[in-house]
Amino acid sequence: MTNFNWLLDGSIVGLYLLVTMAAGLYVRKYVGKVDDFLVAGREMNVYLGIASLAATEFGIVTCMYTAEAGYKYGFAGATPGIAMALSMLVIGYTGFCIKPLRDSGVITIPQLIEKQFGPRVRWAAGVVIVLGGLLNMGVFLRIGGQFLVTIVGLKVTSFDLWGFQIGYLEAMMTVLLVGVATYTILGGMLSVLITDFLQFVVMSVGLIAVTLLVLVYIGWDKIVTTVETNYGAGGFNPFVHPDLGWPYVLFQVMLNFAAVLTWQTTIARVLAAKDSMTGQKIYVRTSFFFVCRFLIPGIWGIAALATLGQVTNTLDAMPTFLATFVPIGLMGLCVAAMLAADMSTDSSYMLTWGSVIYNDIMAPFRKTEWSEKKGILINRMIVAVIGIFLLFYGLWYPLEGDVWTYLGITGTIYLASISVLLIAACYWKGANSWGAFGSIFFAAAIPVAFLILEKTPATRDMAKQIGPYYSGIAAYVCSAVAMVLFSMIKPRDAGGAS
């Protein structure tokens, strides 16, 4: 059962989609160079940067995993948001790494890494960035489709189309992908920035409206009482929660600090800014949003716990709750807000990983400089291929456990090494290619090994004993140690990076 009305709410959603698509397609005529396509000509100001960064880093998948964290862990589930906000505030205020990165004029982080460690390290860095990024994003479409199917109340799982049975989840995933890919492929970063601004406005209005509704009709006292009743002190303090503890907190600090430094979709806003000071201001002024990013959907998750009680599928708890809680009319705004969030995230991520493939992985295979026209065409083809991969991976990969943990482990595949490489490239002249390769190897091998152990029946129990938090911590520590040890074993040649 759902309050979604296809005539009223469907019209609101349809109007929003029409305006967004029109705005995204309109700016395609301004894309004349590869820089326009990938970094919007580096003309982004502070306010557009804040809106774009906030919209990009809040998709349906964000809302789902943060609500699930609230449902499973109470207010302690907002710990990653606090860690990210503090990291962004400190890095933005000091300019740590992001100032030399933006001042260098590069389009991607591996370009800067090449200056210290050479072209082979740049290529390897590009590979692990794309590997971690695509594995991370691979579940976005499925989770977005799952939210939409649940909230609009599609009880049957499939429909007949010309004699073929088409699943509603698969149909939702395909529609989401086609819509986002269309304006991203044609307009690149310019389309992403323009639509991000519209999506930020709609997303903000929808989030605030639904949260106020929850606070009025569920009540803050009931939300707090629900956390106390179900989780006790652990619902407020992650250190004493039986499923979290200090390994969880330490892993979140490492993960989020590295993400603020090197998560390519976040860094893309710094690189597209007018100058390094603009990039720093974007970080500082957006920092508190990342607390809200975890806290607001977390409150929705707690409200779902208060209303529905314990459910088997914790990921579906929040959309199941909203489906009958949000009234007609406001439901259309809520769905439009979630679509706004999801379209912004998907478009930015597709463009970001595409830029790394084009600039860093394909670079050694370009014997001559490509024309701007050919470069834009290749970038558009890359985005299209990424979209196809995401669709099939989302259908194939069986997601187990909570979503945020999966995203943290897959993100660590590249965050653990690239953050170390970036810091070394900016501040340690003694670092060399041996250290860089060692860092990349250990940072990728540990989380990949954990994912394999987790999916292999014979080793699943061992993976459960190790846990994602210890394996994540090990990846960051081993990555940093490998950089130092291997760099010391082979001192950097006087002639340059080697």
Side-chain angles (χ1 to χ4, degrees):
M1 185 176 176
T2 179
N3 292 337
F4 187 85
N5 181 281
W6 285 96
L7 179 60
L8 178 58
D9 296 316
S11 298
I12 294 172
V13 174
L15 178 62
Y16 161 74
L17 291 175
L18 183 64
V19 172
T20 301
M21 290 295 294
L25 294 175
Y26 174 75
V27 299
R28 72 186 188 280
K29 63 183 180 181
Y30 297 108
V31 178
K33 298 187 298 183
V34 172
D35 267 15
D36 296 332
F37 190 86
L38 295 180
V39 289
R42 303 187 194 275
E43 291 296 327
M44 187 176 68
N45 61 31
V46 173
Y47 302 106
L48 183 56
I50 292 171
S52 179
L53 180 55
T56 294
E57 295 305 325
F58 191 96
I60 290 180
V61 65
T62 318
C63 193
M64 291 282 272
Y65 69 64
T66 51
E68 183 183 35
Y71 183 93
K72 292 177 68 174
Y73 310 124
F75 291 106
T79 302
I82 297 172
M84 180 165 276
L86 290 175
S87 298
M88 188 160 281
L89 182 64
V90 170
I91 292 170
Y93 183 77
T94 61
F96 180 70
C97 285
I98 64 171
K99 185 180 189 311
L101 180 64
R102 175 61 187 89
D103 289 343
S104 70
V106 299
I107 293 178
T108 61
I109 292 173
Q111 282 183 275
L112 180 65
I113 288 173
E114 181 184 17
K115 296 180 180 180
Q116 173 102 358
F117 303 111
R120 288 180 295 174
V121 174
R122 174 185 176 179
W123 187 86
V127 169
V128 293
I129 285 176
V130 172
L131 174 64
L134 290 183
L135 288 177
N136 191 274
M137 190 186 176
V139 299
F140 285 18
L141 283 175
R142 171 172 282 276
I143 293 173
Q146 189 175 333
F147 172 88
L148 294 172
V149 166
T150 303
I151 202 166
V152 301
L154 295 175
K155 294 183 179 179
V156 293
T157 58
S158 62
F159 61 95
D160 184 81
L161 180 65
W162 300 318
F164 295 96
Q165 286 296 311
I166 307 297
Y168 277 111
L169 175 59
E170 290 75 12
M172 286 287 189
M173 290 168 61
T174 305
V175 169
L176 278 173
L177 174 65
V178 170
V180 171
T182 299
Y183 69 74
T184 306
I185 289 170
L186 293 176
M189 182 60 86
L190 284 171
S191 287
V192 169
L193 290 179
I194 295 300
T195 53
D196 274 359
F197 186 80
L198 294 174
Q199 289 154 355
F200 175 75
V201 173
V202 175
M203 179 186 76
S204 300
V205 172
L207 288 176
I208 292 170
V210 173
T211 304
L212 289 176
L213 202 66
V214 168
L215 294 176
V216 169
Y217 288 98
I218 302 295
W220 180 254
D221 289 342
K222 187 173 182 178
I223 289 172
V224 174
T225 302
T226 298
V227 175
E228 287 177 336
T229 303
N230 286 272
Y231 305 116
F236 302 91
N237 183 352
F239 289 100
V240 299
H241 195 291
D243 296 330
L244 302 178
W246 71 263
Y248 167 82
V249 176
L250 180 57
F251 175 57
Q252 298 307 324
V253 171
M254 291 178 165
L255 172 68
N256 286 284
F257 187 81
V260 171
L261 276 183
T262 59
W263 193 245
Q264 190 66 33
T265 54
T266 304
I267 284 296
R269 272 63 197 168
V270 173
L271 298 177
K274 288 183 176 180
D275 49 46
S276 58
M277 184 54 68
T278 300
Q280 289 181 235
K281 288 179 180 178
I282 291 170
Y283 264 32
V284 170
R285 297 181 189 182
T286 314
S287 58
F288 184 70
F289 165 80
F290 287 90
V291 177
C292 302
R293 173 182 180 242
F294 267 82
L295 187 59
I296 289 177
I299 290 173
W300 297 3
I302 297 169
L305 178 62
T307 306
L308 304 176
Q310 295 291 340
V311 298
T312 304
N313 189 341
T314 56
L315 190 62
D316 275 343
M318 180 271 291
T320 301
F321 161 69
L322 291 183
T324 55
F325 177 74
V326 178
I328 295 173
L330 185 56
M331 178 65 80
L333 179 62
C334 175
V335 174
M338 291 300 101
L339 278 174
D342 205 57
M343 292 173 74
S344 169
T345 299
D346 291 349
S347 60
S348 294
Y349 275 54
M350 288 165 62
L351 187 66
T352 292
W353 309 132
S355 70
V356 175
I357 293 172
Y358 176 80
N359 277 287
D360 305 310
I361 297 179
M362 295 180 68
F365 305 102
R366 297 201 299 264
K367 295 184 179 179
T368 58
E369 192 69 25
W370 287 345
S371 67
E372 296 290 350
K373 186 176 181 180
K374 184 177 181 179
I376 292 173
L377 175 62
I378 296 296
N379 273 284
R380 285 171 170 162
M381 292 172 64
I382 291 171
V383 171
V385 171
I386 288 174
I388 295 170
F389 165 81
L390 295 176
L391 181 62
F392 284 97
Y393 184 86
L395 292 172
W396 170 78
Y397 187 82
L399 186 62
E400 299 172 3
D402 67 80
V403 178
W404 175 246
T405 299
Y406 169 81
L407 296 178
I409 291 297
T410 53
T412 294
I413 290 172
Y414 101 69
L415 290 174
S417 60
I418 302 304
S419 57
V420 170
L421 265 66
L422 178 61
I423 293 170
C426 291
Y427 302 110
W428 186 30
K429 293 182 179 180
N432 57 48
S433 60
W434 279 29
F437 279 121
S439 179
I440 289 171
F441 173 78
F442 284 103
I446 293 172
V448 167
F450 176 79
L451 290 173
I452 293 172
L453 290 173
E454 192 178 42
K455 292 300 178 186
T456 304
T459 57
R460 189 170 293 160
D461 290 339
M462 184 174 68
K464 190 175 292 187
Q465 288 181 344
I466 297 171
Y469 309 135
Y470 283 114
S471 64
I473 292 168
Y476 287 97
V477 172
C478 290
S479 174
V481 171
M483 169 61 80
V484 175
L485 288 182
F486 284 98
S487 290
M488 291 175 68
I489 291 171
K490 185 212 175 193
R492 188 180 179 187
D493 295 337
S498 60

